[in-house]
Amino acid sequence: MNFEFFRNYLLAKGALTDEQFDTVSHAIQERTVAKGTVLLRQDEICSEVYFVANGLLRSYTVDDNGREHIIQFAPEDSWISDRNSFLFGEPSLIFIDTIEESKLVVLTPEFFQQVSAFAGFNTFNTKALHNLVRMQQHRISLLIGASAETRYMDFIERYPSLTLRVPQWMIASYLGITPESLSRVRRELAKRNFKPGSQATE
């Protein structure tokens, strides 16, 4: 199922043709991963890229005081990896784990070496990298200068389904604020009759 889901995803994006996908299919793995599984640890070399067919992953760092700082959430149709470690063989600065049981497509360097022969995938991959840089610049700008409410509203726009799936402390970690600050933001929004859907679990 994950395999066909990934095939259809790439075909819909114009990244590969059916024939090209068949050529590289042997380098594609499927994996079902239990909730709470660590896929990558800090200081390890990242050797895999994950495409999420179903489920939810996150990447995060841990500071010297043991606090987690979430960098990315990866729900369905998302990619997640440490690209710097994967591409350059440097020790990873992040952790990646599963928030929910997840069905993943696992891609190794062999896959990317082979698909680099196809112009469609190269165009797709370049656009993906450009979007990643754009998103990261936007996120840095928010973390530096935006209010907690603005950050939360941006989170809802970027991840509209995750207020139902992610604990409040994880959302706060992603936003760079305390859970107490997030609760205050939600209370103020509720007073203005703003309802993102439902409160995240505590």
Side-chain angles (χ1 to χ4, degrees), residues 76-111:
E76 291 79 8
D77 290 5
S78 295
W79 302 73
I80 188 167
S81 184
D82 183 335
R83 285 182 177 269
N84 184 64
S85 179
F86 184 83
L87 293 172
F88 301 107
E90 298 179 358
S92 178
L93 300 177
I94 65 172
F95 294 81
I96 296 175
D97 68 13
T98 53
I99 300 174
E100 302 171 352
E101 178 179 276
S102 300
K103 299 182 184 302
L104 307 176
V105 174
V106 182
L107 306 170
T108 63
E110 180 186 3
F111 171 83

Side-chain angles (χ1 to χ4, degrees), residues 5-78:
F5 187 93
F6 187 57
R7 176 198 289 269
N8 292 334
Y9 172 87
L10 291 180
L11 293 179
K13 297 291 184 180
L16 294 175
T17 66
D18 264 318
E19 294 76 13
Q20 290 170 341
F21 187 90
D22 289 339
T23 300
V24 299
S25 61
H26 68 281
I28 299 171
Q29 304 172 23
E30 298 180 81
R31 190 179 303 166
T32 298
V33 184
K35 176 181 177 179
T37 301
V38 178
L39 298 170
L40 177 68
R41 297 182 185 276
Q42 185 177 334
D43 294 328
E44 293 179 347
I45 303 300
C46 180
S47 60
E48 298 176 334
V49 173
Y50 305 105
F51 174 81
V52 185
N54 184 264
L56 180 60
L57 280 66
R58 63 172 179 152
S59 63
Y60 60 98
T61 61
V62 178
D63 66 24
D64 291 340
N65 295 316
R67 291 190 298 266
E68 296 180 1
H69 303 274
I70 295 177
I71 299 168
Q72 177 191 356
F73 292 107
E76 291 79 8
D77 290 5
S78 295

Side-chain angles (χ1 to χ4, degrees), residues 100-147:
E100 302 171 352
E101 178 179 276
S102 300
K103 299 182 184 302
L104 307 176
V105 174
V106 182
L107 306 170
T108 63
E110 180 186 3
F111 171 83
F112 289 97
Q113 290 166 3
Q114 294 188 11
V115 295
S116 66
F118 303 130
F121 188 88
N122 288 331
T123 299
F124 164 81
N125 197 39
T126 298
K127 288 181 179 178
L129 287 171
H130 288 170
N131 282 333
L132 177 64
V133 171
R134 179 175 60 85
M135 289 170 58
Q136 288 180 337
Q137 289 178 335
H138 177 68
R139 181 153 152 68
I140 290 169
S141 177
L142 287 176
L143 290 173
I144 291 173
S147 67

